[in-house]
Every structure is written in structure tokens, then in C-alpha cells.
């Protein structure tokens, strides 16, 4: 009897240790191998000492207590005296009174972590100018332990390279999420402001752990209701919850709000009544939320209202709002994602054409928010030509963390490689090294105002992000927003041990799988520079055949231009000449077939089916081989993951294994559809040795999908 009980208990324990629903994200704090990290650190971590108290400092202490209890399996608590082995939290302003001198970074959110001696006692010191800097330092210290890195010679100085590190939620007020694949919106508007869900606090904590300091709560396709007094109270409740975690709240401003809410006959940005309406609205918001961050605006884009409805330009619209928020230190993030049906020009060129002439015309507190590429968050795009082209305007890059075009919630895509590719892309605006990251950080043209945006992949799924691995993309966005020079590999090296409790060899195979995952998707969706060939409207699955829609630039045939002779969008001088929007070094590289990177080939060139690729294959064979390779690579991921059974949490293993099986089916579906469709133009065989698709093109074209999420 006793033995059965024991076995039952052990099974229970084992189950609880091995059933991870993902809610804890990267802040798991499971026990680490202490001998490894503490072997050279002679003073045992003994207690936590803080010179001052505040809400944020209490959060930091709490985090340390919980974190250390989990990681070190012992209680380390706050203590009123410094002891050998204390973790000491010190604000710079308290140094003189305690005769301690440390060099903290100038940046308010910067911090240091170091081993030092205070009152003859060896301690670990975390110090900053601000409470939030200390909290960031605490999270970094815990991250070091989570990675089982040595702590005996700590000498860390960190500060963010970008000022405003912002998530953009595309959450609607009815809790659906545009392009959201992780359930419904976190914001339960119905029970706000009275009820604060634990989830809001956990959200703020997760963001603070990676340095995210702003959040746009709702969709850029904006609803003016959010600006009514009743809803502002709800927003305030969230702002109050996030504040101690250093997170400011922003809202989208629907440009026609003065008409919809103010009953004015116009929303013309130069109309005195409109100006007054916004001034009053802004004052009303700041009265309730004194540290409100400001507005994001999607104007005259995809049917949204904007200044052009009144013959005004983007600067007129942005500046009117900028003047309203300026007295409160608010900012305006004005999106450059514009393209018009009336303009018969290559969609890739339109944002540049509209915005470049406005350089220097924006008020000081306006940022122009530019998507990473000129079309739309594709699996691969060359960087947006606006980067570097508006030196007198702070530009901020917008990345998409949610996987609208990269397999939604069924595909494993580690997007840090995509983000890195973009942030490190060299615009040559001021010679070599003028990267998109540097421009976003304001460092190329010395703008003190800087920001970066990531379209959130977060919903109310228990694991926050739908696909368990999509957590890594939230994490990676935050880390890159803090330091755009980090590599995707370094970030994986952090995230994996924080997320998985496993051995080094398993960590390495997880990393390999992650590092190649985005390229795999490019291979089976849009190889060699193909783009925008996904399913109509919901964007799920392949749709290279999409044509005859209300706008040409919403179809696939517009982008791939396949015909009997060849395939690809000619953006050189013989075509749309979009390439000329880049600085000469880059323009030359992309325009010239000898130097254009093959991953952008069909983005810039229309080429015959028998064009010779660097591999020696003709283009047709090359395209087909990429599609087949992509599907094979998913099989490779499946094998890697299968071998990890028993090495990673059982629940994670089961879930990812099933998702990879779906991903494989989807990869084959993409491959077969695209190969058969393009074959109808190339009239060439699938290269020998590759299996034939199991259905014909008609079958793939006939597939229809209802209720795809996020649509
Ligand atoms: C597109 C999305 C659409 C967004 C739009 C945007 O399909 O849902 O509203 O971007 O960024 O990629 O405004």
C-alpha cells in the first residue's frame, strides 16, 4: 500500500515538473545546476538589500526572491543590513550618503551589475539612475543565472540603444485581434476598469524583463470609441497597472474622430475647430493618464481616413496631433504604410514617393513609422528604401512579430533572423555602416527621439503566443529593441536555456532548428525573392493564382508576373525602377544581375525560365528545388524534435510535435500549389528525382477556408 502511494506521489511530482503549459514564458526559474555557476563564487548569495523602496523596487525584490527561490532552491530574502553575499540594489542618488561610488550609465534606464565590496562585504551590486533601471538590472541578473553563466566577475554596463520600445497590438475593442493567432485580446474591456486581471500584471512583467517600455493597446485600423471618456477610464486602469513596470500606454487615433465623436462637419487638420477638438481630447486623456505616451496613426491607408481627405498632406495631419500632445511630452507615430489604388505605380515605390518630399516638415515629436520592407511583412523583403532617405525626420522601424505571412500559429518560425537581417541591412545613406538599426536608433542623423515597433503576437491563449516557439519572437523583439546589434544567435542562446530545462546537446539542436526555421519557410513559400502570393484576404496558405480583385496590388499575379517567358517583378530601370529609390551603392547591387543577392532576385528582376542561377540550375529548376527543399527541411525539424523526446518538457514536446506535423502538411501544400501553378507557365517538368504532387492544380485552387483567425 505504502509503495503504491509513493509511486503515485512520485508520478504526480514528475507530472508537475513535466507539464509546462507555457504560461511562465522565459521566466520559468526552474532549478539550475548550481555547482557550475557558483563554483567560483565563494560568497553564497545570502540576502537582498535595497537602499530605497518604491513600487518598482518592491517588484524587483519580489522578482529576485521568487527567481532565486526557484533557481537556487533556497529562500533569499530582503534584509535590513548588507551581508556578505547580499544582492544590493542602489539608486545613483543614494551613493553619496552611503559613500559608495559606482559609474552608472547616463541613460536613465541603464544599469550596472558588478561584484564589489561594500562595508568590507563582498556583494553583487545592481545600480541605476532609476528604479526601472534597477528592475531591468534584476531581470538581467536572473537571466545570467538562468543561463548558468558565472557570476564571480560580473562587470556589466547596459543601456538601451532605442528610447521607445513599443509593442503594437492590433486588438479590436470586441477582443478579436487583427492578424492575431493566439486567441483573443488580453484586454477584457467589459470588466475594465474595475477588474484588473492577473494576466495584465504578468504581461507587464514579461515585457519589463526584456526592456519593452511602451504598448499601443489597440488596432491601427482604429475605432474612435477608445477615445470616449468611458473607455479612457479603462485605458487608465491598464496604464496604472503597467506603470510600475516602466510601460507607457499609447493609443491609435482615428483621424475622423472629430466627426464621429465631436459631431464636427470635418476632420480637416487645418480647421480651427478640429484643432481645438483634438487639444481638448488630448488634455482630457492626460488629465487621467499623466504619462500617456501618445498616438499612432494609420492615415489614408487601406481605407483609413486621413488628412488627404481634405487635400492636406501627412505632415499637416501629423503636426496637428503633435502640437496637441507636445505640451505633455507626447509623441506621434505616423505610419508610412501607404499605397493608393489611384496611383498606377509599383506599390513598393509609393510610401517613398509620398513621404520623402515631406522630410523636415514634421514637428519634433513626430516619428514616421516604416515597415521593415516596402510591401508588407513578407517572409523575406529587402529593407524599405525610406530608411536613410529622410535624414531630417526620426524614422522608426515596424516589425511584425505575429506571423501573418509566416504560417500563423502552426509554423515554427524564429523571427530574430529576419529582424536581424533587417536591422543590419546597410542603406549606405551616409556611407558604409548606415544600417536600418542605426537609423531607427536615431544614431545616424542624431535624433534624440527614437523608437521601434513590433506588431504583437500575444493573445489570451494559455501560452500567450499560440505556437510555443512564438514566445521566442516576443522575447527577441524586446531584446533587439533594447540592443539592435545583438545577433539572433545570441538571443537564441539566452532564450533556450531560459525556456527549456535540458542539456547542452539538446539546447544546440533546438538552436539549430530555430536558426534555420525562417529560411525554411522562405523556401516553401516565397523563394528567390517571390512575394505576396498567399491566400486571399485571410492570407492563409498559398494563393499564387489570386487575380481579378478590386485592386491589382492586392493580387498575387501583380507581384510574381509569371508568364510563358518568365517570372519576377522588374523593378530595375526597364521596369518600375523602384531600385532607384535606394542609395546608389545598394541600387547598383540590386539592379545588376551579377550582384543582386539571389534571395532578392525575383523581387527586382523579371527573368526567363531558363535563366542560369549561381548553382548552375536554370531558374525553373531552382525555384522548384527551393520549394522541395523547404518541405524537406520541415521533415528535418521533425526529426530533430522527435529526438528531443524526454529531453524537453513533455507537454511542449507533444504540442510542438503535432504542430510540426501540421507544418509539414502546409509546406507540402505550399510547395505543390506553387510548383503546379508556375509550371502552367514554364511548361517544364519537375526535375527528375522529386516526387510528383499528389493532386492537380485545380484541386489546390479549389480549396477554401472559412473562419481563418485574425481576418
Ligand atoms: C497588412 C495586414 C492588415 C493591416 C495592415 C497594416 O494584412 O491587416 O491592417 O498590414 O499594417 O499586412 O496596416
Amino acid at each position: 500500500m505504502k509503495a503504491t502511494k509513493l509511486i503515485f506521489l512520485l508520478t504526480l511530482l514528475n507530472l508537475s515538473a513535466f507539464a509546462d503549459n507555457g504560461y511562465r514564458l522565459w521566466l520559468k526559474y526552474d532549478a539550475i545546476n548550481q555547482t557550475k555557476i557558483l563554483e567560483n563564487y565563494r560568497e553564497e548569495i545570502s540576502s537582498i538589500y535595497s537602499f530605497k523602496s518604491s513600487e518598482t523596487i518592491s517588484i524587483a525584490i519580489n522578482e529576485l526572491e521568487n527567481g532565486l527561490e526557484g533557481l537556487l532552491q533556497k529562500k533569499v530574502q530582503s534584509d535590513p543590513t548588507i551581508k556578505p553575499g547580499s544582492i544590493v540594489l542602489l539608486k545613483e542618488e543614494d551613493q553619496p550618503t552611503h559613500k559608495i561610488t559606482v559609474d552608472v550609465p547616463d541613460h536613465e534606464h541603464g544599469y550596472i551589475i558588478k561584484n564589489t565590496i561594500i562595508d568590507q562585504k563582498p556583494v553583487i551590486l545592481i545600480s541605476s539612475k532609476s528604479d526601472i533601471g534597477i528592475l531591468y538590472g534584476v531581470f538581467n541578473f536572473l537571466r545570467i543565472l538562468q543561463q548558468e553563466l558565472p557570476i564571480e566577475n560580473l562587470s556589466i554596463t547596459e543601456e538601451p540603444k532605442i528610447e521607445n520600445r513599443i509593442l503594437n497590438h492590433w486588438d479590436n475593442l470586441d477582443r478579436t485581434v487583427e492578424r492575431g493567432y493566439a486567441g483573443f485580446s488580453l484586454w477584457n474591456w467589459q470588466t475594465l476598469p474595475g477588474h484588473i486581471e492577473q494576466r495584465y500584471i504578468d504581461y507587464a512583467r514579461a515585457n519589463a524583463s526584456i526592456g519593452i517600455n511602451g504598448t499601443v493597446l489597440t488596432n491601427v485600423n482604429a475605432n474612435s470609441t477608445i477615445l470616449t471618456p468611458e473607455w479612457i477610464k479603462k485605458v487608465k486602469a491598464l496604464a496604472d497597472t503597467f506603470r510600475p513596470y516602466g510601460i507607457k500606454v499609447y493609443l491609435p487615433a482615428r483621424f475622423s474622430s472629430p466627426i464621429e465623436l465631436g459631431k464636427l462637419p470635418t476632420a480637416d487638420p487645418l480647421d480651427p475647430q478640429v484643432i481645438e477638438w483634438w487639444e481638448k481630447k488630448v488634455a482630457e486623456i492626460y488629465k487621467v493618464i499623466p504619462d500617456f505616451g501618445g498616438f499612432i496613426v494609420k492615415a489614408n491607408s487601406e481605407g483609413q481616413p486621413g488628412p488627404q481627405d481634405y487635400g492636406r498632406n501627412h505632415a499637416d495631419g501629423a503636426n496637428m496631433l503633435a502640437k496637441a500632445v507636445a505640451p505633455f511630452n507626447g509623441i506621434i507615430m505616423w505610419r508610412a504604410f501607404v499605397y493608393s489604388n489611384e496611383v498606377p505605380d509599383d506599390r513598393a515605390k509609393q510610401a517613398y514617393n509620398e513621404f520623402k518630399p515631406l522630410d523636415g516638415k514634421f514637428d519634433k515629436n513626430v516619428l514616421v513609422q516604416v515597415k521593415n520592407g516596402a510591401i508588407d511583412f513578407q517572409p523575406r523583403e529587402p529593407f524599405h528604401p525610406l530608411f536613410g532617405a529622410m535624414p531630417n525626420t526620426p524614422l522608426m522601424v515596424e516589425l511584425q512579430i505575429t506571423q501573418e505571412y509566416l504560417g500563423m500559429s502552426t509554423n515554427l518560425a524564429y523571427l530574430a533572423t529576419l529582424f536581424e537581417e533587417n536591422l543590419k541591412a546597410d542603406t549606405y545613406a551616409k556611407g558604409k555602416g548606415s544600417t536600418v538599426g542605426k537609423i531607427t536608433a536615431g544614431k545616424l542623423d542624431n535624433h534624440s527621439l527614437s523608437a521601434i515597433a513590433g506588431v504583437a503576437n500575444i493573445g489570451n491563449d494559455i501560452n500567450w503566443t499560440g505556437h510555443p516557439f512564438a514566445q521566442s519572437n516576443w522575447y527577441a523583439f524586446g531584446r533587439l529593441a533594447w540592443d539592435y546589434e545583438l545577433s539572433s544567435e545570441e538571443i537564441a542562446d539566452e532564450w533556450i536555456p531560459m525556456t527549456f530545462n535540458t542539456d547542452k546537446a539538446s539546447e544546440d539542436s533546438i538552436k539549430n532548428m530555430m536558426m534555420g526555421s525562417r529560411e525554411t519557410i522562405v523556401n516553401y513559400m516565397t523563394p528567390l525573392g517571390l512575394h505576396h502570393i498567399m491566400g486571399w484576404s485571410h492570407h492563409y496558405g498559398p494563393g499564387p493564382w489570386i487575380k481579378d480583385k478590386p485592386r491589382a496590388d492586392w493580387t498575387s499575379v501583380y507581384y510574381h508576373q509569371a508568364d510563358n517567358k518568365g517570372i519576377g517583378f522588374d523593378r530595375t530601370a526597364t521596369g518600375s525602377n523602384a531600385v532607384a529609390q535606394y542609395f546608389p551603392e545598394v541600387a547598383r547591387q540590386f539592379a545588376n544581375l551579377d550582384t543582386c543577392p539571389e534571395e532578392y532576385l525575383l523581387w527586382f528582376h523579371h527573368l526567363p525560365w531558363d535563366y542560369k542561377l549561381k548553382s548552375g540550375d536554370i531558374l525553373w529548376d531552382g525555384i522548384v528545388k527551393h520549394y522541395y527543399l523547404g518541405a524537406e527541411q520541415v521533415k528535418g525539424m521533425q526529426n530533430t524534435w522527435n529526438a528531443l523526446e524526454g529531453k524537453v518538457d513533455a507537454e511542449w514536446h507533444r504540442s510542438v510535435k503535432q504542430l510540426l506535423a501540421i507544418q509539414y502538411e502546409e509546406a507540402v501544400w505550399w510547395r505543390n500549389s506553387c510548383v503546379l501553378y508556375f509550371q502552367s507557365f514554364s511548361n517544364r517538368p519537375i526535375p527528375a528525382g522529386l516526387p510528383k504532387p499528389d493532386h492537380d492544380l485545380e484541386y489546390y485552387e479549389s480549396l477554401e477556408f472559412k473562419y481563418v483567425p485574425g481576418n
Side-chain angles (χ1 to χ4, degrees), residues 318-319 321-327 329-333 362-367 394 449:
N319 294 343
L321 289 172
K323 287 192 175 67
V325 297
N329 295 321
I331 60 170
I332 301 298
M333 293 164 286
F362 290 96
D363 280 11
K364 277 212 299 285
N365 55 336
V366 178
L367 293 128
L449 179 59

Side-chain angles (χ1 to χ4, degrees), residues 170 178-179 221 298 302 335 337 371 376 404-405:
W170 285 358
E178 184 156 341
R179 312 311 178 185
N221 293 320
K298 172 175 176 177
E302 298 185 330
R335 292 176 93 230
F337 179 64
K371 286 189 182 183
D376 203 351
E404 175 178 2
Y405 301 99

Side-chain angles (χ1 to χ4, degrees), residues 394-407:
L395 296 195
M396 58 187 283
V397 70
E398 174 176 333
L399 302 165
Q400 193 177 47
I401 312 170
T402 190
Q403 289 169 238
E404 175 178 2
Y405 301 99
L406 285 108

Side-chain angles (χ1 to χ4, degrees), residues 559-618:
Y559 294 99
H560 61 65
Q561 306 265 326
D563 58 23
N564 292 342
K565 294 204 189 78
I567 183 170
F569 199 121
D570 183 1
R571 295 196 163 100
T572 68
T574 52
S576 78
N577 207 21
V579 78
Q581 293 182 335
Y582 290 99
F583 284 87
E585 288 85 342
V586 180
R588 272 198 301 272
Q589 191 203 12
F590 290 159
N592 182 337
L593 276 173
D594 294 332
T595 53
C596 180
E598 275 189 350
E599 62 245 34
Y600 300 135
L601 200 59
L602 303 175
W603 188 283
F604 290 110
H605 301 272
H606 184 83
L607 296 169
W609 293 110
D610 62 358
Y611 171 81
K612 268 266 162 67
L613 293 171
K614 291 190 179 112
S615 62
D617 280 328
I618 60 162

Side-chain angles (χ1 to χ4, degrees), residues 506-570:
S506 304
E507 285 180 5
D508 286 347
S509 50
I510 295 170
K511 181 160 100 178
N512 275 338
M513 188 173 81
M514 288 169 72
M515 291 301 291
S517 58
R518 177 268 191 144
E519 198 64 43
T520 295
I521 291 180
V522 171
N523 282 333
Y524 65 73
M525 288 188 185
T526 51
L528 294 168
L530 287 171
H531 50 288
H532 207 291
I533 54 172
M534 63 287 160
W536 167 249
S537 176
H538 50 57
H539 299 168
Y540 175 57
W545 44 78
I546 302 294
K547 59 178 183 189
D548 302 332
K549 294 294 179 190
R551 315 171 49 126
D553 54 12
W554 282 357
T555 68
S556 302
V557 295
Y558 172 88
Y559 294 99
H560 61 65
Q561 306 265 326
D563 58 23
N564 292 342
K565 294 204 189 78
I567 183 170
F569 199 121
D570 183 1

